[in-house]
Amino acid sequence: MDYGKTLNLLQTDFPMRGNLPQAEPKLQQQWEEQDIYAQVRSSRRGKPKFILHDGPPYANGNIHIGHAMNKILKDIIVRFKTMHGFDAPFVPGWDTHGLPIEQAIANGGKVDRKKMTVSEFRDYCKEYALVWVEKQKVQFKRLGIRGDWNNPYITLQPKYEAQQIRVFGGMVNKGYIYKGLKPVYWSPSSESALAEAEIEYQDKTSTSVYVAFDLKDGKGKLPPDSSIVIWTTTPWTLPANLGISLNPDFDYVLVETGGKKFVVAGGLLEAVSREVGWKDVNTLSSFKGSELEGVLCQHPFYDRTSLVMTGDHVTLEAGTGCVHTAPGHGEDDFMIGQRYNLGVLCPVDDQGHFTAEAPGFEGMFYEKGGKLVTQMLEESGHLLHQNTITHPYPHDWRTKKPV
């Protein structure tokens, strides 16, 4: 039996099915022809304003569920405020600057940016971004988002860039802007600085070295034939070493083993001895880190000194408690270097190659240079121990290569 015929249903022209894939575009065309957005704005002219600034999506691909949630929630809020009597404009926008667009073009393989002028590459990126602006605009409209789609803001528009410059100029005039140096995450594979949020940590096998920095001037606190021992998993940063950091409150010991004298943190002596292979270790004296402040060591392969400093960033979690410090290669190093007026040395260029500021390593990729550093330390007798360590290391989230 056809039970449908037993029901007393209303007779209506309303369709039984929504047929939304066909019905929605027609409805949206009707909204555009009627200019619903302008009508709503007109009906609220003179009312209190409610402004929701659209944090812009990036113009480099199709929208995804995150875009949908973002825009739909904004649309709900704007409509809610409109229905409560506010004049609530909604001006959509797009972010069209930056590395993701450049990376997408490079990954596409259609052009070689290194064979193009900067201006040519920028124009190519601009056209790529504007194509995706239009594609995303259609997709957002299909979500039913109501807004001023005919007059969006786009960050590459001259009027938008000009306004940014005006804001920046105002900050300059108020004395908020200064020029200085600061270490940042840098990706040699994409030749760009990276924000903290653009860093991915992946396991990486690195060379682990214990290095003796011979004493240059013990300031009467250490004997002239002693050395301070540092540990690092980035030997390639040693050409930029300008100092050694100790914790002012830790106990440090001067020990003798194999006819040589070394300084390490007392709390790490056992671990260091085991790792380096020291036997018959005799403790000669002990000091607080603060007592060794100002001592000078000789750089292991350059004709300059390394200043012993004190800082709270030094821990006993690993190493020797004596931290190799290169102000051009790390934030903690930079901060303590500023405090002691060490200056900043970063002898690596944008592509990760050593510069002339690292004599003997000029032109080498930093990882290859690290191998030569280790070889030089071994030949000079400053390398106490070498091993490998697998540890989380920051990588560029786009190229998946180390920073």
Side-chain angles (χ1 to χ4, degrees), residues 274-291:
R274 184 170 56 250
E275 184 72 17
V276 176
W278 286 343
K279 305 294 184 184
D280 300 322
V281 180
N282 297 315
T283 300
L284 303 179
S285 54
S286 64
F287 321 82
K288 287 292 184 184
S290 56
E291 297 178 64

Side-chain angles (χ1 to χ4, degrees), residues 118-250:
V118 171
S119 181
E120 288 172 340
F121 188 56
R122 283 179 178 165
D123 286 342
Y124 198 95
C125 291
K126 176 182 176 180
E127 294 307 313
Y128 177 92
L130 290 177
V131 165
W132 279 109
V133 165
E134 293 305 313
K135 288 183 178 180
Q136 288 189 5
K137 186 187 295 184
V138 171
Q139 294 167 347
F140 284 133
K141 286 182 179 180
R142 289 290 285 116
L143 295 177
I145 310 302
R146 190 176 70 197
D148 192 0
W149 294 107
N150 294 325
N151 300 289
Y153 75 89
I154 302 174
T155 60
L156 59 72
Q157 292 171 333
K159 64 180 181 180
Y160 185 92
E161 293 181 329
Q163 186 59 30
Q164 286 182 306
I165 292 170
R166 289 189 188 98
V167 171
F168 186 78
M171 294 168 70
V172 171
N173 290 335
K174 292 177 181 177
Y176 297 154
I177 306 300
Y178 68 94
K179 186 176 182 179
L181 295 173
K182 185 180 186 298
V184 296
Y185 286 115
W186 183 268
S187 171
S189 53
S190 56
E191 296 179 47
S192 174
L194 300 178
E196 186 79 40
E198 296 176 299
I199 294 296
E200 286 182 349
Y201 283 87
Q202 300 178 21
D203 281 349
K204 179 179 183 291
T205 300
S206 299
T207 300
S208 162
V209 294
Y210 289 79
V211 181
F213 276 65
D214 297 337
L215 209 66
K216 177 75 171 182
D217 183 354
K219 306 292 183 181
K221 304 167 186 177
L222 292 172
D225 60 343
S226 56
S227 304
I228 295 179
V229 182
I230 66 96
W231 171 73
T232 182
T233 58
T234 54
W236 64 269
T237 63
L238 283 168
N241 173 276
L242 296 177
I244 299 171
S245 299
L246 314 180
N247 190 299
D249 300 320
F250 289 172

Side-chain angles (χ1 to χ4, degrees), residues 182-183 313 327 330-341:
K182 185 180 186 298
H313 66 289
E331 189 158 4
D332 286 334
D333 297 38
F334 175 80
M335 296 302 291
I336 194 169
Q338 291 291 100
R339 220 167 69 222
Y340 284 86
N341 297 314

Side-chain angles (χ1 to χ4, degrees), residues 29-42:
Q29 183 180 356
Q30 181 182 339
W31 289 345
E32 289 199 25
E33 290 171 353
Q34 295 174 350
D35 200 354
I36 288 293
Y37 176 77
Q39 288 192 50
V40 172
R41 290 294 312 283
S42 178

Side-chain angles (χ1 to χ4, degrees), residues 16-30:
M16 292 294 290
R17 296 179 181 278
N19 292 321
L20 297 183
Q22 292 76 38
E24 283 185 353
K26 292 179 182 178
L27 187 59
Q28 287 168 338
Q29 183 180 356
Q30 181 182 339

